[in-house]
């Protein structure tokens, strides 16, 4: 047997799962790696130490090991179908035991983002508190029998879970509970994103695409990219696609059309209640929104506020924040980067403002209109209209992000933090 063609089992690779992916032939065998049993020792003390050692080894193994059936090595070439498959894509997800991930992971594994010829490895990041739940997630992934899902690993160390990541979906963040100051939340979550930025910088693919979902996502994305100086800042995104989708839905409802008739929808700014859903440039059936919806008061007030506060209203109804629709919007955001943007249209994403053509402050993460050739990269859309109303709103969101940035200076390597946040702004989910 030529052992060199065997996929290496996960434990030998320090935290990833069994197969090497790609096209190469992999021999099928099942290897479930378990910690070795201790040899017997004669003193009680030694026995105690041995048991403790075993428990520690088992805990360590549980943190690192590939999960169940995903430890299986396999022969890709033995399967006719897989011959046309692309190279394995590694997707790392934090907050993987949370509500959003519970929808998202199954979409990723089914091929919804990358298509039916793209095998996928899911690397799931949890914490001590969520490790058991993470095993439950992995069990459900096993039981779903997704042909494209070739590897699943679970762990609590970002330096292991982000290794070779082509995509990093950073969802895990502490939710803002009652009595938690916005400044305190920025600090607590900022620490998470600073550490994850460093880990990505050290071990991820050099062209990793990072989508920050955990709130406050724009400033978390800024912290993350500042802590990853060896990765292109351009590759970091803050998710504002849910806001775009919400805005499209509201315009469609008002105009009495199905939402596929809405295009060119920009969300400018922060994923917060200062966000700016842009009805000046958006189109309905290819016509400017203002030609179709003549009620300017509705556009400037009701529409804008409804989109800004949609998350909070949903929390009041559901008792928890948007999870399924957020997962859908993450899929949309990823697909927008891996498929060419339809002619004349664009999508919104929060990106690093360096050399932006609109005059928005540099060195923050701001949602803007983008187009992609489908290669994972994007360009800003240059020819957008601006009026006083739109610009005034944009400046308010910009001011909020600049204030947030000052508040996390200690996490971005820019000196002492000074926190003076505008009092009237909130996350979309806050009321
Ligand atoms: N940008 C957007 O459009 C949207 C963003 N969001 C944001 O996404 C994030 C995740 O939402 P959702 O999946 O619903 O949340 P959940 O509460 O279900 O999951 C959040 C995960 O965050 C992790 N976490 C990390 N640090 C902490 C901490 N200090 N305390 C508690 N949990 C922590 C937990 O995982 P573990 O223990 O494994 O670390 C937990 O599983 C939130 O920040 C939310 O505000 C939500 C909707 C839309
Ligand atoms: O505020 C939250 O946690 C939820 C959120 O971002 C949204 O619904 O847009």
């Amino acid at each position: 047997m030529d052992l060199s063609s065997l996929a290496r089992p996960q434990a030998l690779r320090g935290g990833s799962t069994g197969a090497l992916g790609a096209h190469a032939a992999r021999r099928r065998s099942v290897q479930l790696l378990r910690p070795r049993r201790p040899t017997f020792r004669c003193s009680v003390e030694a026995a105690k130490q041995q048991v403790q050692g075993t428990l520690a080894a088992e805990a360590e193994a549980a943190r690192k090991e590939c999960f169940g059936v995903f430890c299986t090595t396999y022969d890709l070439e033995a399967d006719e179908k897989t011959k046309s498959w692309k190279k394995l894509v590694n997707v790392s997800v934090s907050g993987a035991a949370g509500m959003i991930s519970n929808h998202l992971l199954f979409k990723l594994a089914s091929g919804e983002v990358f298509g039916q010829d793209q095998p996928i490895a899911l690397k799931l990041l949890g914490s001590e508190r969520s490790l058991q739940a993470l095993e439950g997630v992995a069990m459900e992934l096993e039981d779903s029998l997704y042909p494209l899902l070739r590897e699943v690993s679970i762990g609590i160390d970002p330096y292991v879970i982000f290794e070779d990541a082509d995509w990093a979906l950073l969802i895990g963040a502490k939710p803002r509970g009652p009595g938690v100051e916005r400044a305190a939340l920025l600090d607590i979550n900022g620490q998470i994103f600073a550490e994850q930025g460093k880990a990505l910088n050290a071990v991820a693919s050099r062209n990793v695409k990072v989508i920050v979902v955990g709130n406050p996502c724009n400033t978390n994305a800024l912290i993350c990219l500042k802590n990853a100086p060896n990765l292109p800042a351009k590759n970091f995104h803050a998710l504002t696609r849910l806001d775009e989708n919400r805005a499209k839905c509201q315009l469609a409802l008002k105009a009495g059309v199905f939402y596929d008739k809405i295009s060119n929808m920009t969300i400018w700014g922060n994923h917060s209640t200062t966000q700016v859903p842009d009805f000046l440039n958006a189109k309905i059936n290819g016509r400017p929104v203002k030609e179709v919806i003549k009620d300017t008061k509705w556009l400037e007030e009701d529409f804008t506020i409804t989109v800004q506060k949609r998350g909070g209203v949903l929390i009041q109804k559901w008792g928890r924040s948007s999870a399924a629709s957020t997962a859908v919007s993450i899929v949309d955001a990823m697909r927008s980067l891996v498929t060419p943007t339809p002619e004349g249209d664009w999508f919104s994403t929060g990106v690093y403002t360096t050399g932006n053509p609109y005059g928005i402050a540099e060195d923050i993460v701001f949602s803007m209109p983008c187009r992609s050739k489908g290669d994972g990269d994007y360009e800003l859309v240059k020819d957008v209209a601006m009026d006083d109303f739109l610009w005034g709103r944009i400046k308010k969101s910009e001011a909020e992000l600049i204030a947030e940035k000052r508040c996390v200076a200690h996490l971005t390597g820019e000196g002492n933090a000074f926190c003076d946040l505008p009092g009237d702004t909130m996350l979309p989910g806050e009321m």
Side-chain angles (χ1 to χ4, degrees), residues 256-324:
V257 299
F258 202 60
Y259 35 68
D260 61 347
K261 301 294 181 291
I262 317 293
S263 65
N264 305 82
M265 186 72 242
T266 310
I267 299 293
W268 298 92
N270 200 2
H271 176 70
S272 79
T273 52
T274 66
Q275 67 176 267
V276 190
D278 174 354
F279 52 83
L280 182 65
N281 289 286
K283 292 182 177 153
I284 299 174
N285 272 321
R287 291 171 61 206
V289 165
K290 286 173 108 176
E291 277 180 32
V292 181
I293 300 173
K294 305 229 186 291
D295 184 348
T296 306
K297 187 170 178 302
W298 181 85
L299 286 170
E300 291 184 355
E301 293 173 17
D302 305 39
F303 165 68
T304 303
I305 292 167
T306 301
V307 175
Q308 290 169 334
K309 299 200 165 168
R310 180 76 163 176
V313 175
L314 187 125
I315 289 173
Q316 282 183 341
K317 304 267 182 209
W318 235 127
R320 57 139 181 87
S321 65
S322 309

Side-chain angles (χ1 to χ4, degrees), residues 213-426:
V213 179
N215 276 318
C217 62
N218 294 56
T219 297
N220 288 340
L222 183 73
I223 293 168
C224 198
L225 72 88
K226 291 280 182 181
N227 283 277
N230 300 333
L231 300 175
K234 195 182 182 196
N235 288 3
F236 287 72
H237 300 255
L239 184 80
T240 55
R241 187 54 170 266
L242 176 60
D243 308 297
E244 176 183 325
N245 291 354
R246 287 168 170 166
K248 283 181 167 167
C249 175
Q250 292 308 311
L251 288 179
L253 277 169
K254 181 73 175 176
V257 299
F258 202 60
Y259 35 68
D260 61 347
K261 301 294 181 291
I262 317 293
S263 65
N264 305 82
M265 186 72 242
T266 310
I267 299 293
W268 298 92
N270 200 2
H271 176 70
S272 79
T273 52
T274 66
Q275 67 176 267
V276 190
D278 174 354
F279 52 83
L280 182 65
N281 289 286
K283 292 182 177 153
I284 299 174
N285 272 321
R287 291 171 61 206
V289 165
K290 286 173 108 176
E291 277 180 32
V292 181
I293 300 173
K294 305 229 186 291
D295 184 348
T296 306
K297 187 170 178 302
W298 181 85
L299 286 170
E300 291 184 355
E301 293 173 17
D302 305 39
F303 165 68
T304 303
I305 292 167
T306 301
V307 175
Q308 290 169 334
K309 299 200 165 168
R310 180 76 163 176
V313 175
L314 187 125
I315 289 173
Q316 282 183 341
K317 304 267 182 209
W318 235 127
R320 57 139 181 87
S321 65
S322 309
S325 57
T326 305
V328 169
S329 75
I330 297 170
V331 167
D332 290 342
M334 295 173 79
R335 242 189 340 224
S336 286
L337 293 170
V338 298
T339 48
T341 310
E343 191 60 38
D345 202 359
W346 61 67
F347 58 90
S348 305
T349 177
V351 289
Y352 188 56
T353 53
T354 177
N356 76 88
Y358 317 112
I360 291 160
E362 299 282 283
D363 201 34
I364 52 179
V365 171
F366 205 85
S367 183
M368 300 185 281
C370 296
R371 292 181 50 80
S372 175
K373 296 189 179 76
D375 55 0
D377 202 2
Y378 62 88
E379 296 303 329
L380 298 177
V381 176
K382 294 199 174 64
D383 49 345
V384 291
M386 203 55 81
D387 65 9
D388 287 347
F389 177 85
L390 183 55
W391 188 241
R393 294 295 176 104
I394 285 175
K395 290 307 274 182
K396 188 171 178 198
S397 206
E398 179 197 78
E400 181 181 50
L401 280 166
I402 291 170
E404 287 189 15
K405 182 177 134 180
R406 279 197 300 264
C407 210
V408 298
H410 59 304
L411 297 170
T412 55
E414 280 153 34
N416 293 330
F418 169 71
C419 227
D420 183 20
L421 294 167
D424 60 338
T425 62
M426 296 181 286

Side-chain angles (χ1 to χ4, degrees), residues 33-198:
L33 301 171
R34 294 279 170 248
R36 260 187 283 146
R37 291 277 137 209
T39 49
F40 182 70
R41 287 206 222 150
C42 287
S43 78
V44 173
E45 204 39 52
K48 258 199 216 154
Q49 280 172 9
Q50 201 77 57
V51 170
Q52 276 164 1
T54 307
L55 290 177
E58 280 181 354
E60 183 56 23
R63 280 184 187 88
K64 277 187 167 178
E65 214 170 278
C66 54
F67 196 85
V69 72
F70 301 108
C71 299
T72 308
T73 55
Y74 45 82
D75 182 354
L76 281 183
E77 276 190 2
D79 183 349
E80 270 306 303
K81 192 168 184 255
T82 65
K83 282 183 183 165
S84 59
W85 278 6
K86 298 177 183 157
K87 186 173 174 293
L88 188 80
V89 67
N90 289 319
V91 183
S92 299
V93 183
S94 77
M99 292 187 299
I100 295 171
S101 295
N102 193 35
H103 296 272
L104 177 66
L105 297 174
F106 297 83
K107 292 176 168 295
L108 290 167
S110 72
E112 251 186 73
V113 173
F114 299 110
Q116 295 304 319
D117 57 354
Q118 177 61 77
I120 184 167
L122 287 176
K123 300 172 172 220
L124 310 181
L125 184 67
S127 67
E128 295 282 0
R129 77 189 148 241
S130 67
L131 197 56
Q132 285 259 342
L134 212 51
E135 284 192 42
V137 172
M139 286 165 68
E140 287 210 83
L141 285 167
E142 275 186 310
D143 293 345
S144 301
L145 308 181
Y146 290 116
L148 292 166
L149 183 59
R150 308 310 289 202
E151 303 184 8
V152 172
S153 44
I154 60 177
I156 63 172
D157 181 352
Y159 285 83
V160 174
I161 294 299
F162 293 166
E163 201 176 335
D164 298 329
D166 300 302
W167 290 81
L169 311 176
L170 305 185
I171 301 172
K174 183 181 167 69
R176 180 167 170 187
V180 178
E181 291 293 324
R182 194 166 160 80
L185 190 73
L186 275 165
D187 182 54
I188 295 166
N189 282 331
Q191 313 268 359
I192 296 172
F193 288 88
E195 195 208 356
Q196 294 184 357
K198 289 188 180 103

